Amino acid sequence: NTKHEPTFGVRSVCVVLLEFEAVQSEEVCRNLTVIPRNDNRPTFSQTAYSFTVPEASEIGTFVGIVSATDADTYDSQITYSISVSVPTDAFHIDPNNGTITVAALTLDRETADTYEVIVTANDNSKLFPARTRD
């Protein structure tokens, strides 16, 4: 939030209604909830991650954890997904905590000695979702 944006919370707002060409007026008061903008994307704790996993690892073998934070605290719960996995879909990511595990029995160093996995962090805002790829 900038200095010019209101902070999150409930505000009581009163408006005086005047009848045109009359001296009568009426005051109406309502509670309004101020919701901050979703103006920050999730940010990964590192610019790049590198993990090592033995070939022929069993499904479910722990590979590593990626982590992101979001400066927007309202309406923001980060989830993770794998956007791209090259050469195959050999890995799984827990959407709630960023834990990457082996998802297929195809890890063979002679076939591929390096895998590129692109992870997306989504803040799941119901108003204005923001995503970050790493």
Side-chain angles (χ1 to χ4, degrees), residues 3-15:
K3 292 180 181 178
H4 303 291
E5 290 183 21
T7 57
F8 170 73
V10 176
R11 304 289 188 271
S12 181
V13 177
C14 296
V15 178

Side-chain angles (χ1 to χ4, degrees), residues 47-67:
T47 55
Y49 293 83
S50 178
F51 303 112
T52 303
V53 62
E55 71 176 330
S57 291
E58 293 191 21
I59 292 174
T61 300
F62 175 81
V63 175
I65 298 175
V66 296
S67 177

Side-chain angles (χ1 to χ4, degrees), residues 2 16 22 25-26 31 36 45 53 55 58 60 62 80 83 90 93 103 110 112 118 126:
T2 65
V16 176
S25 66
E26 177 182 350
N31 286 333
S45 60
V53 62
E55 71 176 330
E58 293 191 21
F62 175 81
Y80 304 90
S83 306
I93 190 164
E110 286 75 28
I118 298 176
K126 291 172 183 48

Side-chain angles (χ1 to χ4, degrees), residues 53-63 90-92 100-108:
V53 62
E55 71 176 330
S57 291
E58 293 191 21
I59 292 174
T61 300
F62 175 81
V63 175
F91 302 99
H92 167 78
I100 299 171
T101 56
V102 173
L105 295 175
T106 58
L107 298 183
D108 181 1

Side-chain angles (χ1 to χ4, degrees), residues 65-88:
I65 298 175
V66 296
S67 177
T69 57
D70 189 354
D72 296 316
T73 56
Y74 176 81
D75 190 33
S76 179
Q77 180 181 354
I78 296 175
T79 57
Y80 304 90
S81 61
I82 293 177
S83 306
V84 177
S85 180
V86 177
T88 65

Side-chain angles (χ1 to χ4, degrees), residues 40-44 66-72 75-81 94-98 119-125 130 132:
N40 296 291
R41 294 180 182 277
T43 304
F44 283 96
V66 296
S67 177
T69 57
D70 189 354
D72 296 316
D75 190 33
S76 179
Q77 180 181 354
I78 296 175
T79 57
Y80 304 90
S81 61
D94 184 309
N96 298 310
N97 62 26
V119 174
T120 300
N122 182 352
D123 69 8
N124 293 293
S125 171
T132 299

